[in-house]
């Protein structure tokens, strides 16, 4: 199947809710960040240490959820398209919190700033974390001045989710280093 | 970890049986399949067959209240699956997954304009048979003999414009028909305004109409389903 249509050759694209917007539109920036984050997670999964099948499955669930997040970012307020998308609730952020708590039980207490890096899987977790933060900043900009419509309410849930996902990815980077026997690199001022 | 849920109907696997086949032209045919009792869908959605490692999606032309499922296919020479459906004996069993896709009707204050080429008419049949009537429909085909559902569509659409792309001596004649492609009609004759465009058919049509919307109908919405 050919994946190209050519409809975007002149710098515009169609949102999920049907509007034609410039590819420099803030919404496109935001869901582009989420796409980049998802791709970084794919690289992270590819470099996970062997024996981490459950973690790989967890990350692939997050990748799947990020497709829903991207769809919400491609819907304008008030669009009937919103009825076709799954809600983003506090439970999703809480699921990440549970996963964070579980990994932290196996990690030494952190008392210093770390340099992103270490094992290649940890390095990808840090890349994903930084992209996740950028996505979060763009979604916050999208929300500025918006009303309390359904789409905006969902985007507030997205902000919470991305904020927690960034924390998850930071802890995941440390966890990946630990299971690989790679010590975290402390920032020497 | 909880994953996101939706009220939308989730795609599942089903078994179905070929009940009937009707050839509309030398290359285009309609098939009727049994409808699994638990299979639900929204007009405009697709079902997917997965022969070997390939996937072939077809839009349903029947409605959620029909007791069987209907598809309209172009028998692609050396195609992956349409020749199988074209030749299968009545009673043959198939498996499919569905429903797939988001190409569904979304009511709005803007006029709806459905644009189809060839068998891309299928989702619009399902949508209009389900009760949607306030739409303009442009159906691009080669010749008048390719307008298989015109009687129903002519009586249902607010405006129905068959667009015949073959040369005039081959295209035949048709009531209120337009000699030329749907893009030509939209560019030269369709009044500039803001619309909700629904496009289904060949990739080239979808590209050309989408770019035309940017130029001639700014502020309009575009929903597209590409047939490859």
């Amino acid at each position: 199947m050919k994946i190209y249509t050519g409809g975007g050759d002149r710098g515009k694209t169609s949102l999920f809710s049907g509007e034609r917007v410039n590819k420099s539109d803030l919404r496109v920036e935001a869901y582009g960040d989420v796409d980049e984050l998802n791709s970084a997670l794919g690289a992270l999964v590819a470099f996970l240490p062997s024996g981490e099948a459950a973690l790989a499955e967890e990350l692939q669930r997050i990748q799947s959820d990020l497709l829903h997040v991207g769809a919400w970012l491609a819907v304008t307020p008030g669009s009937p398209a919103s009825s076709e998308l799954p809600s983003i609730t506090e439970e999703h952020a809480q699921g990440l919190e549970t996963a964070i708590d579980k990994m932290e039980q196996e990690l030494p207490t952190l008392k210093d700033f770390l340099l992103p890096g270490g094992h290649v899987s940890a390095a990808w977790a840090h890349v994903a974390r930084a992209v996740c933060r950028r996505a979060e900043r763009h979604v916050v900009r999208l929300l500025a001045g918006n009303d309390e419509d359904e789409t905006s309410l969902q985007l507030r849930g997205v902000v919470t989710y991305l904020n927690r996902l960034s924390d998850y990815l930071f802890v995941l980077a440390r966890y990946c280093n630990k299971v690989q026997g790679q010590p975290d690199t402390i920032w020497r001022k | 970890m909880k994953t996101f849920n939706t009220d939308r109907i989730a795609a599942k696997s089903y078994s179905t049986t070929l009940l009937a086949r009707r050839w509309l032209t030398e290359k285009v045919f309609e098939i009727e399949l049994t409808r699994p009792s638990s299979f639900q869908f929204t007009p405009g959605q697709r079902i997917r067959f997965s022969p070997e490692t390939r996937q072939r999606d077809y839009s349903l032309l029947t409605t959620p209240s029909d007791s069987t499922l209907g598809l309209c296919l172009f028998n692609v020479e050396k195609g992956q699956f349409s020749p199988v459906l074209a030749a299968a004996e009545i009673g043959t069993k198939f498996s499919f997954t569905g429903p797939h896709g988001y190409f569904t009707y979304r009511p709005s204050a803007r006029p709806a304009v459905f644009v189809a080429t060839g068998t891309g008419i299928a989702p619009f049949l399902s949508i209009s048979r389900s009760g949607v009537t306030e739409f303009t429909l442009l159906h691009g085909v080669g010749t008048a003999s390719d307008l298989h559902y015109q009687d129903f569509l002519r009586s249902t659409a607010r405006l129905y414009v068959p667009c015949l792309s073959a040369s005039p001596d081959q295209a035949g004649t048709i009531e209120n028909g337009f000699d030329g492609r749907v893009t030509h009609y939209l560019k030269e004759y369709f009044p500039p305004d803001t619309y909700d465009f629904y496009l289904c058919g060949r990739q080239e049509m979808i590209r050309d109409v989408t770019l035309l919307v940017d130029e001639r109908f700014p502020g309009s919405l575009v929903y597209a389903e590409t047939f490859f």
Side-chain angles (χ1 to χ4, degrees), chain A:
Chain A
M1 186 173 91
K2 295 174 184 174
I3 64 158
Y4 55 85
T5 64
D9 285 354
R10 296 179 194 167
K12 286 196 169 190
T13 190
S14 298
L15 297 178
F16 181 68
S17 50
E19 294 85 354
R20 296 286 292 165
V21 298
N22 286 321
K23 289 185 178 179
S24 59
D25 188 278
L26 186 53
R27 285 186 185 281
V28 183
E29 291 273 12
Y31 68 67
D33 289 336
V34 171
D35 180 31
E36 188 179 340
L37 164 60
N38 211 338
S39 301
L41 290 180
L44 165 54
V45 171
F47 284 111
L48 274 183
S50 59
E52 294 291 344
L55 183 55
E57 193 178 318
E58 183 171 281
L59 284 165
Q60 284 168 347
R61 275 206 301 276
I62 291 170
Q63 286 186 287
S64 178
D65 286 345
L66 286 173
L67 290 180
H68 291 307
V69 168
W72 272 110
L73 294 172
V75 168
T76 53
S79 168
S82 62
S83 66
E84 298 176 33
L85 297 177
S87 292
I88 296 165
T89 68
E90 285 183 6
E91 285 181 65
H92 303 108
Q94 288 165 357
L96 291 170
E97 288 171 7
T98 303
I100 290 170
D101 295 344
K102 189 177 168 191
M103 286 190 288
E104 279 198 317
Q105 286 174 1
E106 299 186 33
L107 295 171
T109 304
L110 185 62
K111 296 176 180 172
D112 301 284
F113 285 107
L114 301 179
L115 298 184
H119 184 261
V120 65
S121 57
W124 273 110
H126 279 297
V127 171
R129 175 185 57 79
V131 177
C132 189
R133 286 295 183 203
R134 172 159 28 93
E136 180 188 0
R137 292 192 295 274
H138 276 140
V139 180
V140 169
R141 281 177 61 193
L142 261 183
L143 269 169
N146 275 358
D147 298 329
E148 293 296 314
D149 62 275
E150 176 60 23
T151 304
S152 300
L153 290 174
Q154 291 296 326
L155 292 196
R156 290 183 207 290
V158 167
V159 171
T160 303
Y161 181 78
L162 293 176
N163 186 33
R164 207 65 80 251
L165 182 56
S166 300
D167 296 335
Y168 168 90
L169 291 168
F170 179 80
V171 176
L172 178 62
R174 295 189 65 214
Y175 178 82
C176 287
N177 277 336
K178 178 175 183 298
V179 297
Q180 284 296 304
Q182 180 110 20
D184 287 325
T185 307
I186 306 297
W187 180 36
R188 304 290 177 203
K189 299 174 192 171

Side-chain angles (χ1 to χ4, degrees), chain B residues 118 126 133 140:
Chain B
S126 180
T133 56

